[in-house]
Amino acid sequence: MCAVGLCPNICHFYFNADESYEDYKETMTTYKFNKDNGFLKQANKEYSKARFIMMNRLAPEIFELDKEINKVGIQKILDMHPELKNVLNNLEDIKEEINGYTKEKLK
């Protein structure tokens, strides 16, 4: 499972949120393609994978990113990790998606 990005033993760091977000978006694109073309079995597999990525990778990393934002601010994070620009620009949308998947709500 680790080879395909579904490792249950992975450590979560806020600076990996960009990779997890890209994996999630790519998986959702594949899910939508399969669903639109009638490949329902594969669409269900992709949806399960997207849900796993959201709940087990992206959500913990966004929780950590929120903590870091509260500690040092967005500008300091951007200075240290410019690759997070896309995530920070879409943070509210990402939080809204996470809130749709998890019981623990982000503010």
Side-chain angles (χ1 to χ4, degrees):
M1 287 180 61
C2 294
V4 293
L6 300 175
C7 185
N9 301 319
I10 195 167
C11 295
H12 301 286
F13 302 101
Y14 73 90
F15 48 81
N16 292 115
D18 62 320
E19 294 173 24
S20 297
Y21 184 52
E22 286 302 315
D23 288 348
Y24 172 76
K25 287 189 338 182
E26 183 178 313
T27 304
M28 285 304 290
T29 299
T30 305
Y31 159 73
K32 289 174 185 171
F33 174 84
N34 286 325
K35 184 179 175 190
D36 292 345
N37 288 291
F39 307 125
L40 300 181
K41 186 175 181 180
Q42 189 59 36
N44 285 332
K45 288 181 181 182
E46 291 297 323
Y47 183 78
S48 294
K49 183 178 176 182
R51 191 158 194 243
F52 183 91
I53 291 168
M54 176 64 76
M55 294 175 62
N56 296 296
R57 285 178 52 197
L58 187 58
E61 291 165 3
I62 294 296
F63 288 130
E64 289 300 315
L65 181 59
D66 252 358
K67 289 179 190 177
E68 198 66 20
I69 288 170
N70 290 333
K71 274 191 223 175
V72 299
I74 290 177
Q75 191 56 50
K76 178 83 172 175
I77 291 172
L78 276 173
D79 292 343
M80 294 186 312
H81 307 285
E83 68 277 5
L84 291 176
K85 183 177 182 178
N86 186 36
V87 172
L88 292 170
N89 288 340
N90 296 303
L91 193 57
E92 293 307 313
D93 293 336
I94 295 169
K95 287 180 183 181
E96 196 172 297
E97 284 191 70
I98 290 171
N99 287 338
Y101 282 101
T102 62
K103 294 177 184 174
E104 189 174 351
K105 301 296 181 197
L106 288 167
K107 297 177 184 176

